[in-house]
Amino acid sequence: MPHHPLKKLIRDVPNFPKEGILFRDISPLLADGEGWRKAVDEMAERVAKYKPDMLAGIDARGFLVAAPVAYKLGIGFAMVRKKGKLPWKTVEHTYELEYGSDTLQLNADAFAQGQRVVICDDLLATGGTAGAAVELVRKTGGNPVALACLIELAGLGGAAKLGIPSESLLVY
């Protein structure tokens, strides 16, 4: 894969959040006005080809991607939140993690029946969280047509597990 110029704005943090993990920190990208604008513009271009009616941003850094891309495309977005964070009627999906499980929620009225939805997040690794978001979109009647991420850790095979196309700006 060719070296994307925005990769220089991703900070590698070894052994975070635990020993043996190399964390890809997007903070320097967010802090660079020109770099962030390029990232959002490129994400919007990639997302637009799926003709979404709405976006879904995954808690919490996925909101950082979904909000400006939705603005640029002139569409809305819904928040996929960790359990207990949404104040209205929700649907939920529990999924397995390496150790234990987690639950995500979405407002029950987030999407109209059949609405085309692109799910946005900062990073795609094993695909567990993204897969849960795909199921949530379906449970609310939406049609998940793609996943769009800033970063993909390709060696972990997350994209292959989703059953929908995925777009990643930076692949490691």
Side-chain angles (χ1 to χ4, degrees):
M1 174 128 273
H3 183 74
H4 196 290
L6 292 177
K7 275 191 176 179
K8 70 182 186 298
L9 295 173
I10 303 299
R11 176 173 36 219
D12 292 346
V13 182
N15 302 313
F16 182 84
K18 63 183 185 187
E19 191 70 29
I21 302 288
L22 178 61
F23 187 83
R24 305 291 184 170
D25 183 12
I26 64 170
S27 299
L29 174 61
L30 296 171
D32 186 289
E34 186 181 330
W36 181 234
R37 183 187 312 247
K38 284 180 181 164
V40 170
D41 287 350
E42 192 172 328
M43 290 295 289
E45 199 175 287
R46 289 175 181 220
V47 167
K49 69 184 176 190
Y50 295 98
K51 299 178 176 35
D53 300 306
M54 288 273 290
L55 302 182
I58 299 175
D59 199 342
R61 288 183 300 263
F63 302 163
L64 302 173
V65 178
V69 171
Y71 175 84
K72 188 145 181 77
L73 297 178
I75 60 177
F77 88 98
M79 297 179 290
V80 175
R81 301 283 330 247
K82 293 177 177 90
K83 188 172 178 142
K85 300 287 187 187
L86 290 170
W88 201 71
K89 293 179 199 155
T90 61
V91 294
E92 63 182 47
H93 185 78
T94 300
Y95 62 104
E96 296 307 309
L97 297 165
E98 193 176 349
Y99 301 102
S101 64
D102 205 358
T103 300
L104 292 178
Q105 293 182 316
L106 183 60
N107 279 336
D109 63 350
F111 307 112
Q113 193 65 37
Q115 244 184 344
R116 295 175 62 81
V117 179
V118 172
I119 299 162
C120 299
D121 207 356
D122 66 321
L123 184 123
L124 173 61
T126 63
T129 304
V134 167
E135 291 308 312
L136 272 177
V137 169
R138 287 188 177 128
K139 283 182 182 182
T140 61
N143 174 19
V145 294
L147 172 77
C149 293
L150 288 174
I151 297 172
E152 179 182 351
L153 305 179
L156 298 177
K161 298 176 192 166
L162 298 177
I164 59 173
S166 69
E167 295 282 338
S168 303
L169 197 57
L170 310 173
V171 179
Y172 291 89

PDB file of all heavy atoms in Angstrom, residues 126-157:
ATOM      1  N   THR A 126     -10.199  -5.531  15.003  1.00  0.00           N
ATOM      2  CA  THR A 126     -10.753  -6.887  14.854  1.00  0.00           C
ATOM      3  C   THR A 126     -12.160  -6.884  14.261  1.00  0.00           C
ATOM      4  O   THR A 126     -12.660  -7.920  13.851  1.00  0.00           O
ATOM      5  CB  THR A 126     -10.813  -7.603  16.217  1.00  0.00           C
ATOM      6  OG1 THR A 126     -11.696  -6.869  17.067  1.00  0.00           O
ATOM      7  CG2 THR A 126      -9.429  -7.711  16.838  1.00  0.00           C
ATOM      8  N   GLY A 127     -12.812  -5.719  14.248  1.00  0.00           N
ATOM      9  CA  GLY A 127     -14.153  -5.621  13.672  1.00  0.00           C
ATOM     10  C   GLY A 127     -15.285  -5.865  14.655  1.00  0.00           C
ATOM     11  O   GLY A 127     -16.452  -5.791  14.279  1.00  0.00           O
ATOM     12  N   GLY A 128     -14.972  -6.128  15.932  1.00  0.00           N
ATOM     13  CA  GLY A 128     -16.013  -6.410  16.927  1.00  0.00           C
ATOM     14  C   GLY A 128     -16.974  -5.256  17.136  1.00  0.00           C
ATOM     15  O   GLY A 128     -18.199  -5.422  17.065  1.00  0.00           O
ATOM     16  N   THR A 129     -16.434  -4.067  17.370  1.00  0.00           N
ATOM     17  CA  THR A 129     -17.271  -2.896  17.614  1.00  0.00           C
ATOM     18  C   THR A 129     -18.015  -2.497  16.338  1.00  0.00           C
ATOM     19  O   THR A 129     -19.215  -2.209  16.373  1.00  0.00           O
ATOM     20  CB  THR A 129     -16.412  -1.721  18.123  1.00  0.00           C
ATOM     21  OG1 THR A 129     -15.697  -2.152  19.291  1.00  0.00           O
ATOM     22  CG2 THR A 129     -17.266  -0.528  18.481  1.00  0.00           C
ATOM     23  N   ALA A 130     -17.327  -2.492  15.211  1.00  0.00           N
ATOM     24  CA  ALA A 130     -17.965  -2.147  13.939  1.00  0.00           C
ATOM     25  C   ALA A 130     -19.071  -3.142  13.602  1.00  0.00           C
ATOM     26  O   ALA A 130     -20.150  -2.751  13.147  1.00  0.00           O
ATOM     27  CB  ALA A 130     -16.928  -2.102  12.813  1.00  0.00           C
ATOM     28  N   GLY A 131     -18.826  -4.422  13.859  1.00  0.00           N
ATOM     29  CA  GLY A 131     -19.841  -5.450  13.616  1.00  0.00           C
ATOM     30  C   GLY A 131     -21.078  -5.231  14.479  1.00  0.00           C
ATOM     31  O   GLY A 131     -22.211  -5.410  14.018  1.00  0.00           O
ATOM     32  N   ALA A 132     -20.866  -4.828  15.734  1.00  0.00           N
ATOM     33  CA  ALA A 132     -21.992  -4.525  16.620  1.00  0.00           C
ATOM     34  C   ALA A 132     -22.777  -3.330  16.087  1.00  0.00           C
ATOM     35  O   ALA A 132     -24.013  -3.323  16.119  1.00  0.00           O
ATOM     36  CB  ALA A 132     -21.485  -4.245  18.040  1.00  0.00           C
ATOM     37  N   ALA A 133     -22.072  -2.321  15.560  1.00  0.00           N
ATOM     38  CA  ALA A 133     -22.741  -1.145  14.989  1.00  0.00           C
ATOM     39  C   ALA A 133     -23.562  -1.530  13.755  1.00  0.00           C
ATOM     40  O   ALA A 133     -24.678  -1.030  13.568  1.00  0.00           O
ATOM     41  CB  ALA A 133     -21.718  -0.070  14.642  1.00  0.00           C
ATOM     42  N   VAL A 134     -23.046  -2.440  12.932  1.00  0.00           N
ATOM     43  CA  VAL A 134     -23.783  -2.927  11.756  1.00  0.00           C
ATOM     44  C   VAL A 134     -25.103  -3.556  12.224  1.00  0.00           C
ATOM     45  O   VAL A 134     -26.176  -3.272  11.676  1.00  0.00           O
ATOM     46  CB  VAL A 134     -22.950  -3.948  10.943  1.00  0.00           C
ATOM     47  CG1 VAL A 134     -23.803  -4.693   9.925  1.00  0.00           C
ATOM     48  CG2 VAL A 134     -21.778  -3.255  10.254  1.00  0.00           C
ATOM     49  N   GLU A 135     -25.035  -4.395  13.256  1.00  0.00           N
ATOM     50  CA  GLU A 135     -26.242  -5.050  13.777  1.00  0.00           C
ATOM     51  C   GLU A 135     -27.231  -4.034  14.339  1.00  0.00           C
ATOM     52  O   GLU A 135     -28.436  -4.159  14.131  1.00  0.00           O
ATOM     53  CB  GLU A 135     -25.883  -6.097  14.836  1.00  0.00           C
ATOM     54  CG  GLU A 135     -25.158  -7.298  14.276  1.00  0.00           C
ATOM     55  CD  GLU A 135     -25.879  -7.939  13.083  1.00  0.00           C
ATOM     56  OE1 GLU A 135     -27.104  -8.177  13.167  1.00  0.00           O
ATOM     57  OE2 GLU A 135     -25.223  -8.187  12.059  1.00  0.00           O
ATOM     58  N   LEU A 136     -26.726  -3.021  15.050  1.00  0.00           N
ATOM     59  CA  LEU A 136     -27.600  -1.989  15.604  1.00  0.00           C
ATOM     60  C   LEU A 136     -28.327  -1.215  14.509  1.00  0.00           C
ATOM     61  O   LEU A 136     -29.521  -0.935  14.633  1.00  0.00           O
ATOM     62  CB  LEU A 136     -26.787  -1.008  16.453  1.00  0.00           C
ATOM     63  CG  LEU A 136     -26.597  -1.368  17.905  1.00  0.00           C
ATOM     64  CD1 LEU A 136     -25.709  -0.341  18.583  1.00  0.00           C
ATOM     65  CD2 LEU A 136     -27.919  -1.481  18.624  1.00  0.00           C
ATOM     66  N   VAL A 137     -27.605  -0.840  13.462  1.00  0.00           N
ATOM     67  CA  VAL A 137     -28.227  -0.119  12.350  1.00  0.00           C
ATOM     68  C   VAL A 137     -29.354  -0.967  11.773  1.00  0.00           C
ATOM     69  O   VAL A 137     -30.461  -0.469  11.516  1.00  0.00           O
ATOM     70  CB  VAL A 137     -27.187   0.273  11.276  1.00  0.00           C
ATOM     71  CG1 VAL A 137     -27.866   0.786  10.009  1.00  0.00           C
ATOM     72  CG2 VAL A 137     -26.216   1.313  11.822  1.00  0.00           C
ATOM     73  N   ARG A 138     -29.100  -2.259  11.607  1.00  0.00           N
ATOM     74  CA  ARG A 138     -30.132  -3.169  11.072  1.00  0.00           C
ATOM     75  C   ARG A 138     -31.325  -3.260  12.016  1.00  0.00           C
ATOM     76  O   ARG A 138     -32.476  -3.268  11.567  1.00  0.00           O
ATOM     77  CB  ARG A 138     -29.540  -4.559  10.823  1.00  0.00           C
ATOM     78  CG  ARG A 138     -28.625  -4.592   9.622  1.00  0.00           C
ATOM     79  CD  ARG A 138     -28.189  -6.010   9.261  1.00  0.00           C
ATOM     80  NE  ARG A 138     -27.381  -5.967   8.056  1.00  0.00           N
ATOM     81  CZ  ARG A 138     -26.167  -6.521   7.945  1.00  0.00           C
ATOM     82  NH1 ARG A 138     -25.633  -7.190   8.948  1.00  0.00           N
ATOM     83  NH2 ARG A 138     -25.504  -6.419   6.815  1.00  0.00           N
ATOM     84  N   LYS A 139     -31.073  -3.337  13.332  1.00  0.00           N
ATOM     85  CA  LYS A 139     -32.153  -3.447  14.322  1.00  0.00           C
ATOM     86  C   LYS A 139     -33.074  -2.231  14.303  1.00  0.00           C
ATOM     87  O   LYS A 139     -34.239  -2.344  14.678  1.00  0.00           O
ATOM     88  CB  LYS A 139     -31.584  -3.624  15.736  1.00  0.00           C
ATOM     89  CG  LYS A 139     -31.076  -5.011  16.036  1.00  0.00           C
ATOM     90  CD  LYS A 139     -30.573  -5.097  17.478  1.00  0.00           C
ATOM     91  CE  LYS A 139     -30.018  -6.475  17.784  1.00  0.00           C
ATOM     92  NZ  LYS A 139     -29.568  -6.594  19.183  1.00  0.00           N
ATOM     93  N   THR A 140     -32.567  -1.082  13.888  1.00  0.00           N
ATOM     94  CA  THR A 140     -33.403   0.129  13.838  1.00  0.00           C
ATOM     95  C   THR A 140     -34.039   0.320  12.462  1.00  0.00           C
ATOM     96  O   THR A 140     -34.688   1.337  12.238  1.00  0.00           O
ATOM     97  CB  THR A 140     -32.589   1.390  14.196  1.00  0.00           C
ATOM     98  OG1 THR A 140     -31.531   1.547  13.253  1.00  0.00           O
ATOM     99  CG2 THR A 140     -32.028   1.320  15.600  1.00  0.00           C
ATOM    100  N   GLY A 141     -33.825  -0.624  11.550  1.00  0.00           N
ATOM    101  CA  GLY A 141     -34.432  -0.530  10.224  1.00  0.00           C
ATOM    102  C   GLY A 141     -33.540   0.077   9.163  1.00  0.00           C
ATOM    103  O   GLY A 141     -33.914   0.136   7.992  1.00  0.00           O
ATOM    104  N   GLY A 142     -32.362   0.557   9.568  1.00  0.00           N
ATOM    105  CA  GLY A 142     -31.437   1.128   8.603  1.00  0.00           C
ATOM    106  C   GLY A 142     -30.749   0.062   7.768  1.00  0.00           C
ATOM    107  O   GLY A 142     -30.757  -1.117   8.126  1.00  0.00           O
ATOM    108  N   ASN A 143     -30.163   0.497   6.657  1.00  0.00           N
ATOM    109  CA  ASN A 143     -29.444  -0.396   5.751  1.00  0.00           C
ATOM    110  C   ASN A 143     -27.961  -0.020   5.782  1.00  0.00           C
ATOM    111  O   ASN A 143     -27.559   0.941   5.125  1.00  0.00           O
ATOM    112  CB  ASN A 143     -30.017  -0.248   4.336  1.00  0.00           C
ATOM    113  CG  ASN A 143     -29.229  -1.030   3.296  1.00  0.00           C
ATOM    114  OD1 ASN A 143     -28.486  -1.946   3.614  1.00  0.00           O
ATOM    115  ND2 ASN A 143     -29.379  -0.645   2.040  1.00  0.00           N
ATOM    116  N   PRO A 144     -27.141  -0.755   6.568  1.00  0.00           N
ATOM    117  CA  PRO A 144     -25.708  -0.416   6.619  1.00  0.00           C
ATOM    118  C   PRO A 144     -25.029  -0.775   5.298  1.00  0.00           C
ATOM    119  O   PRO A 144     -24.974  -1.939   4.937  1.00  0.00           O
ATOM    120  CB  PRO A 144     -25.183  -1.271   7.776  1.00  0.00           C
ATOM    121  CG  PRO A 144     -26.136  -2.420   7.874  1.00  0.00           C
ATOM    122  CD  PRO A 144     -27.471  -1.934   7.364  1.00  0.00           C
ATOM    123  N   VAL A 145     -24.550   0.253   4.583  1.00  0.00           N
ATOM    124  CA  VAL A 145     -23.988   0.016   3.253  1.00  0.00           C
ATOM    125  C   VAL A 145     -22.457   0.031   3.228  1.00  0.00           C
ATOM    126  O   VAL A 145     -21.862  -0.455   2.272  1.00  0.00           O
ATOM    127  CB  VAL A 145     -24.543   1.010   2.208  1.00  0.00           C
ATOM    128  CG1 VAL A 145     -26.041   0.780   1.999  1.00  0.00           C
ATOM    129  CG2 VAL A 145     -24.285   2.455   2.597  1.00  0.00           C
ATOM    130  N   ALA A 146     -21.821   0.583   4.280  1.00  0.00           N
ATOM    131  CA  ALA A 146     -20.354   0.606   4.326  1.00  0.00           C
ATOM    132  C   ALA A 146     -19.890   1.067   5.709  1.00  0.00           C
ATOM    133  O   ALA A 146     -20.654   1.656   6.478  1.00  0.00           O
ATOM    134  CB  ALA A 146     -19.781   1.545   3.260  1.00  0.00           C
ATOM    135  N   LEU A 147     -18.607   0.800   5.967  1.00  0.00           N
ATOM    136  CA  LEU A 147     -17.911   1.320   7.139  1.00  0.00           C
ATOM    137  C   LEU A 147     -16.797   2.224   6.618  1.00  0.00           C
ATOM    138  O   LEU A 147     -16.122   1.868   5.651  1.00  0.00           O
ATOM    139  CB  LEU A 147     -17.298   0.181   7.953  1.00  0.00           C
ATOM    140  CG  LEU A 147     -16.385   0.624   9.105  1.00  0.00           C
ATOM    141  CD1 LEU A 147     -17.218   1.102  10.286  1.00  0.00           C
ATOM    142  CD2 LEU A 147     -15.456  -0.506   9.524  1.00  0.00           C
ATOM    143  N   ALA A 148     -16.623   3.385   7.246  1.00  0.00           N
ATOM    144  CA  ALA A 148     -15.538   4.298   6.868  1.00  0.00           C
ATOM    145  C   ALA A 148     -14.727   4.637   8.113  1.00  0.00           C
ATOM    146  O   ALA A 148     -15.280   5.093   9.112  1.00  0.00           O
ATOM    147  CB  ALA A 148     -16.107   5.564   6.249  1.00  0.00           C
ATOM    148  N   CYS A 149     -13.421   4.386   8.050  1.00  0.00           N
ATOM    149  CA  CYS A 149     -12.521   4.624   9.184  1.00  0.00           C
ATOM    150  C   CYS A 149     -11.317   5.442   8.751  1.00  0.00           C
ATOM    151  O   CYS A 149     -10.894   5.373   7.606  1.00  0.00           O
ATOM    152  CB  CYS A 149     -12.005   3.298   9.734  1.00  0.00           C
ATOM    153  SG  CYS A 149     -13.266   2.313  10.498  1.00  0.00           S
ATOM    154  N   LEU A 150     -10.759   6.166   9.712  1.00  0.00           N
ATOM    155  CA  LEU A 150      -9.496   6.863   9.448  1.00  0.00           C
ATOM    156  C   LEU A 150      -8.372   5.856   9.289  1.00  0.00           C
ATOM    157  O   LEU A 150      -7.548   5.970   8.396  1.00  0.00           O
ATOM    158  CB  LEU A 150      -9.159   7.816  10.594  1.00  0.00           C
ATOM    159  CG  LEU A 150      -9.991   9.081  10.720  1.00  0.00           C
ATOM    160  CD1 LEU A 150      -9.619   9.823  12.000  1.00  0.00           C
ATOM    161  CD2 LEU A 150      -9.804   9.979   9.507  1.00  0.00           C
ATOM    162  N   ILE A 151      -8.333   4.853  10.182  1.00  0.00           N
ATOM    163  CA  ILE A 151      -7.218   3.900  10.243  1.00  0.00           C
ATOM    164  C   ILE A 151      -7.743   2.472  10.243  1.00  0.00           C
ATOM    165  O   ILE A 151      -8.711   2.166  10.928  1.00  0.00           O
ATOM    166  CB  ILE A 151      -6.385   4.132  11.523  1.00  0.00           C
ATOM    167  CG1 ILE A 151      -5.763   5.521  11.507  1.00  0.00           C
ATOM    168  CG2 ILE A 151      -5.316   3.049  11.691  1.00  0.00           C
ATOM    169  CD1 ILE A 151      -5.093   5.909  12.817  1.00  0.00           C
ATOM    170  N   GLU A 152      -7.062   1.600   9.495  1.00  0.00           N
ATOM    171  CA  GLU A 152      -7.340   0.167   9.550  1.00  0.00           C
ATOM    172  C   GLU A 152      -6.061  -0.569   9.883  1.00  0.00           C
ATOM    173  O   GLU A 152      -5.018  -0.320   9.282  1.00  0.00           O
ATOM    174  CB  GLU A 152      -7.875  -0.342   8.208  1.00  0.00           C
ATOM    175  CG  GLU A 152      -8.152  -1.828   8.206  1.00  0.00           C
ATOM    176  CD  GLU A 152      -8.632  -2.369   6.868  1.00  0.00           C
ATOM    177  OE1 GLU A 152      -8.923  -1.564   5.959  1.00  0.00           O
ATOM    178  OE2 GLU A 152      -8.693  -3.600   6.728  1.00  0.00           O
ATOM    179  N   LEU A 153      -6.151  -1.464  10.849  1.00  0.00           N
ATOM    180  CA  LEU A 153      -5.049  -2.365  11.162  1.00  0.00           C
ATOM    181  C   LEU A 153      -5.332  -3.644  10.383  1.00  0.00           C
ATOM    182  O   LEU A 153      -6.018  -4.547  10.858  1.00  0.00           O
ATOM    183  CB  LEU A 153      -4.975  -2.617  12.675  1.00  0.00           C
ATOM    184  CG  LEU A 153      -4.866  -1.358  13.542  1.00  0.00           C
ATOM    185  CD1 LEU A 153      -4.822  -1.718  15.021  1.00  0.00           C
ATOM    186  CD2 LEU A 153      -3.656  -0.514  13.155  1.00  0.00           C
ATOM    187  N   ALA A 154      -4.833  -3.689   9.149  1.00  0.00           N
ATOM    188  CA  ALA A 154      -5.224  -4.714   8.182  1.00  0.00           C
ATOM    189  C   ALA A 154      -4.909  -6.138   8.640  1.00  0.00           C
ATOM    190  O   ALA A 154      -5.657  -7.060   8.339  1.00  0.00           O
ATOM    191  CB  ALA A 154      -4.569  -4.433   6.832  1.00  0.00           C
ATOM    192  N   GLY A 155      -3.838  -6.326   9.375  1.00  0.00           N
ATOM    193  CA  GLY A 155      -3.431  -7.661   9.805  1.00  0.00           C
ATOM    194  C   GLY A 155      -4.410  -8.338  10.738  1.00  0.00           C
ATOM    195  O   GLY A 155      -4.342  -9.549  10.944  1.00  0.00           O
ATOM    196  N   LEU A 156      -5.354  -7.582  11.328  1.00  0.00           N
ATOM    197  CA  LEU A 156      -6.297  -8.161  12.277  1.00  0.00           C
ATOM    198  C   LEU A 156      -7.578  -8.658  11.621  1.00  0.00           C
ATOM    199  O   LEU A 156      -8.418  -9.268  12.271  1.00  0.00           O
ATOM    200  CB  LEU A 156      -6.613  -7.146  13.386  1.00  0.00           C
ATOM    201  CG  LEU A 156      -5.387  -6.731  14.218  1.00  0.00           C
ATOM    202  CD1 LEU A 156      -5.763  -5.667  15.235  1.00  0.00           C
ATOM    203  CD2 LEU A 156      -4.757  -7.931  14.914  1.00  0.00           C
ATOM    204  N   GLY A 157      -7.736  -8.397  10.328  1.00  0.00           N
ATOM    205  CA  GLY A 157      -8.828  -8.990   9.554  1.00  0.00           C
ATOM    206  C   GLY A 157     -10.232  -8.497   9.861  1.00  0.00           C
ATOM    207  O   GLY A 157     -11.203  -9.167   9.507  1.00  0.00           O
TER     208      GLY A 157
END
